[in-house]
């Protein structure tokens, strides 16, 4: 019986992210597609996830992997069409899997009807008021201010007139020049997105993942960045007091959207991409009349350090709890280096920040420890209350691909910085399904839009299936164990004291007959003893009983015990 069939499913769901270009290609063009997702839905049912989140599948020039949308109510032909998308939603539901789709309201593609109408009209027209358009300085020759794009270079590009001659005006794009930022004061912008929400809700989708949910409103007058920040804001850094993020007006938009979600039965759910500096600012998005949930990037950014991780868990639960919201847990997504590589680099002594895709590492990761830590972090995450996200390939333990040649890289930040930054393609390499073949079963023709490492056969779904030591079987076991202890996804958590800061042990509620489960993870360098009578799940092999009772938890290992 799936645990997803109630109105509160989003409070404790395990949600699997599909980056559709890279999951499974059915038509052989080297790009994943909706038919590929439909064909592989049994993988997800077998894995035991409650929901999927599909990164943008809308009509798009694909200059930022689909986060540049030219029509929100149509599907890009590389993926399929609206009919196949609707069929996918129905088929997922038949398997007890909910479907969340992405929505990108901060900016459109420059190919969107709104921007094309802007280009066809002159300054001061209504079409211009849907975007942020300002006259340039120095008689129009210089951008209106010094803001820089997250992807590098100026955040402004010149607006040509209908005849192609310069107008002296500029439009704002916090990301690529092909992604103009919408002006949320304009009623057409609200209407465009309310129509889009209803369009997909009416086709059965259970919710939306909202891109850049803290960015839609800009400070009046476009003031300069606070001096200590420079002009460059990094989406992946903890930002505060910046005029383009986390402005108070953004919350009114989420209240408007929540009213639409509440008109459906069961109500539809939102998860926001909210990069803000503190758990406190984050929780403001989760007030009862705003978003249901938001990605907990403080978890994703936490280093391999017991005290730090404990602080993140406590703050996240405390702040979200104040507004009655569950928290979320996330270790990977399509924007950050794979967790195995991140933790492997940290184990090798790299100073690389945990989410940095701006630079390539100069050290070799300690892969064995990276693998162990990625496994442990998964087991620990799934023992926490709230919902948890898995990114495609995380269940296979895929590493980051660090050596993609420059000429295949597609990240717009790579292009905008002349190859100095923008390495997100390394976590977007297609998924290996079979041990052999030129694209390991990703595509029937062997094509793949990014090259796949030659040694990925043993990481494929087929190769890992049935091998109890594999990451795939660990993930299946962990999800089964989580379902068997439904109280784990809700309820409170108590830290068990008496161990070092490096070995975290927390007590979680469980079924009536069995009062609790202990979730433990050893982030230190020496073994720790956990006082318990039996072991439910471990990230590594069996745990040795300790002399005098309990079990020995080696470094880089997590377990559930009773
Ligand atoms: C966040 C998305 O996750 C990322 O992939 C995208 O490039 C930016 N938002 C801009 O839409």
């Amino acid at each position: 019986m799936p645990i997803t069939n109630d109105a509160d499913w989003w409070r404790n769901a395990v949600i699997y992210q599909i980056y559709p270009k890279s999951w499974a290609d059915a038509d052989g063009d080297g790009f994943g597609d909706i038919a590929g997702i439909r064909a592989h839905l049994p993988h997800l049912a077998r894995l035991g996830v409650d929901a999927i989140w599909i990164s943008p599948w809308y009509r798009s020039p694909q200059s930022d992997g689909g986060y540049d949308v030219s029509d929100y109510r149509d599907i890009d032909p590389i993926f399929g069409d609206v009919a196949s998308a609707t069929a996918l939603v129905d088929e997922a539901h038949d398997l007890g899997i909910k479907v969340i789709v992405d929505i990108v309201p901060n900016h459109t593609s420059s190919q969107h009807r709104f921007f094309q109408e802007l280009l066809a009209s002159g300054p001061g027209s209504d079409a211009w008021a849907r975007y942020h358009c300002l006259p340039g300085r120095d008689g129009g020759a210089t951008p209106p201010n010094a803001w820089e794009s997250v992807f590098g270079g100026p955040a402004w590009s010149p607006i040509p007139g209908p005849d192609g001659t310069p107008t002296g005006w500029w439009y704002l794009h916090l990301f690529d020049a092909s992604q103009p930022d919408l002006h949320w004061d304009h009623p057409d912008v609200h209407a465009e997105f309310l129509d889009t929400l209803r369009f997909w809700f009416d086709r059965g989708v259970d919710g939306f993942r909202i891109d850049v949910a803290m960015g839609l409103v800009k400070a009046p007058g476009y003031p300069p960045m606070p001096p200590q920040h420079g002009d460059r804001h990094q989406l992946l850094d903890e930002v505060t007091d910046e005029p383009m993020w986390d402005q108070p007006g953004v919350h009114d938009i989420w209240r408007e959207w929540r009213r639409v979600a509440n008109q459906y039965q069961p109500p539809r759910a939102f998860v926001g991409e909210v990069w803000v500096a503190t758990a406190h600012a984050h929780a403001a998005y989760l007030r009862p009349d705003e978003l249901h949930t938001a990605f907990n990037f403080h978890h994703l950014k936490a280093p391999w350090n017991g005290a730090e991780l404990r602080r993140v868990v406590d703050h996240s639960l405390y702040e979200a709890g104040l507004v009655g919201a569950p928290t979320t847990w996330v270790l990977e997504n399509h924007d950050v280096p794979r967790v195995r590589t991140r933790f492997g680099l940290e184990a090798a002594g790299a100073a690389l920040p945990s989410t940095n895709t701006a630079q390539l590492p100069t050290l070799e990761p300690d892969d064995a420890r990276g693998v162990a830590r990625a496994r442990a972090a998964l087991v620990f995450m799934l023992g926490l209350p709230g919902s948890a996200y898995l990114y495609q390939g995380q269940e296979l333990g895929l590493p980051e691909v660090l050596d993609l040649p420059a000429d295949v890289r597609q990240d717009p930040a790579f292009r905008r910085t002349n190859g100095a930054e923008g390495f997100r393609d390394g976590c977007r390499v297609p998924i290996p399904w079979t041990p052999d073949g030129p694209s390991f079963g990703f595509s029937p023709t062997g094509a793949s839009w990014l090259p796949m490492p030659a040694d990925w056969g043993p990481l494929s779904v087929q190769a890992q299936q049935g091998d109890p030591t594999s990451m795939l079987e660990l993930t299946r076991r962990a999800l089964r164990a989580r379902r068997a202890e439904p109280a784990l996804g809700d309820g409170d958590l108590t830290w068990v004291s008496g161990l070092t800061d490096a070995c975290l042990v927390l007590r979680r509620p469980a079924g009536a007959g069995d009062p609790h489960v202990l979730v433990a993870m050893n982030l230190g360098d020496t073994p720790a003893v956990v006082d318990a009578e039996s072991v439910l799940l471990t990230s590594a092999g069996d745990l040795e009983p300790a002399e005098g009772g309990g079990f020995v938890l080696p470094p880089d290992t997590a377990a559930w015990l009773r």
Side-chain angles (χ1 to χ4, degrees), residues 64 67 107 151 175 209 211-212 273 334-335 424 428:
D64 181 23
Y67 285 93
H107 44 266
F151 291 162
F175 298 91
R209 176 266 186 191
D211 192 60
V212 199
E273 186 202 25
H334 64 291
D335 289 329
R424 292 178 300 168
R428 299 174 180 177

Side-chain angles (χ1 to χ4, degrees), residues 58 72-74 82 86 89 101-103 187-208 253 255-266 268-270:
Y58 311 109
Y72 295 88
R73 296 187 289 281
D74 199 4
V82 172
T86 312
V89 173
V101 293
D102 224 302
I103 192 163
D188 289 356
V189 172
H190 288 255
E192 171 73 355
F193 285 93
L194 297 181
D195 286 353
T196 299
L197 295 181
R198 292 195 183 97
F199 181 90
W200 292 105
F201 287 156
D202 289 344
R203 282 161 183 76
V205 313
D206 301 285
F208 280 96
I253 300 170
R255 293 191 180 102
E256 182 179 49
W257 285 31
R258 182 69 178 255
R259 288 194 289 275
V260 175
N262 286 349
Q263 285 160 7
Y264 286 79
Q265 204 43 258
R268 307 306 201 239
F270 295 121

Side-chain angles (χ1 to χ4, degrees), residues 221-234:
Y222 308 92
M225 294 276 279
Q228 70 274 22
H229 294 231
D231 292 315
R232 182 73 179 282
H233 36 268
Q234 290 284 339

Side-chain angles (χ1 to χ4, degrees), residues 168-398:
W169 287 65
W170 299 67
Y171 69 92
L172 176 69
H173 52 85
L174 293 179
F175 298 91
D176 189 41
S178 65
Q179 295 167 295
D181 278 51
L182 286 162
H183 202 310
W184 275 84
D185 279 354
H186 199 294
D188 289 356
V189 172
H190 288 255
E192 171 73 355
F193 285 93
L194 297 181
D195 286 353
T196 299
L197 295 181
R198 292 195 183 97
F199 181 90
W200 292 105
F201 287 156
D202 289 344
R203 282 161 183 76
V205 313
D206 301 285
F208 280 96
R209 176 266 186 191
I210 305 171
D211 192 60
V212 199
M214 71 301 176
L216 279 56
V217 174
K218 280 71 181 172
Y222 308 92
M225 294 276 279
Q228 70 274 22
H229 294 231
D231 292 315
R232 182 73 179 282
H233 36 268
Q234 290 284 339
L235 193 58
L236 302 181
D237 278 353
E238 297 196 342
V239 291
T240 174
D241 296 334
E242 295 187 341
M244 63 291 288
W245 309 126
D246 199 26
Q247 298 297 307
V250 81
H251 295 283
D252 293 333
I253 300 170
W254 307 136
R255 293 191 180 102
E256 182 179 49
W257 285 31
R258 182 69 178 255
R259 288 194 289 275
V260 175
N262 286 349
Q263 285 160 7
Y264 286 79
Q265 204 43 258
R268 307 306 201 239
F270 295 121
V271 53
E273 186 202 25
V274 179
W275 293 96
V276 287
T278 62
H280 184 71
H282 198 252
Y285 289 76
L286 306 178
R287 287 173 288 195
D289 57 348
E290 297 195 39
L291 306 180
H292 302 70
T293 55
F295 297 114
N296 183 353
F297 294 125
H298 296 104
H299 177 229
L300 191 148
K301 287 168 70 94
W304 192 257
N305 175 297
E308 262 301 296
L309 182 59
R310 178 172 171 162
R311 192 188 64 80
V312 166
V313 169
D314 280 343
H315 280 220
S316 309
L317 289 169
Y318 172 74
E319 293 292 350
L322 289 180
V323 293
T327 188
T328 65
W329 308 104
V330 56
L331 293 163
E332 287 196 9
N333 66 32
H334 64 291
D335 289 329
V336 301
R338 295 275 191 187
V339 66
R340 161 176 173 175
T341 306
R342 245 168 44 217
F343 285 143
L345 282 164
E346 218 183 322
L352 187 87
S354 56
T355 57
N356 199 329
T357 45
Q359 296 142 16
L360 286 178
T362 47
L363 276 180
E364 277 291 307
D366 179 336
D367 195 45
R369 295 197 80 182
V371 168
R373 291 176 177 191
R375 293 171 65 102
L378 175 84
V379 166
F380 185 76
M381 169 173 85
L382 291 174
L384 296 174
S387 66
Y389 284 82
L390 291 176
Y391 174 53
Q392 64 178 38
Q394 191 179 344
E395 81 280 26
L396 304 176
L398 297 186

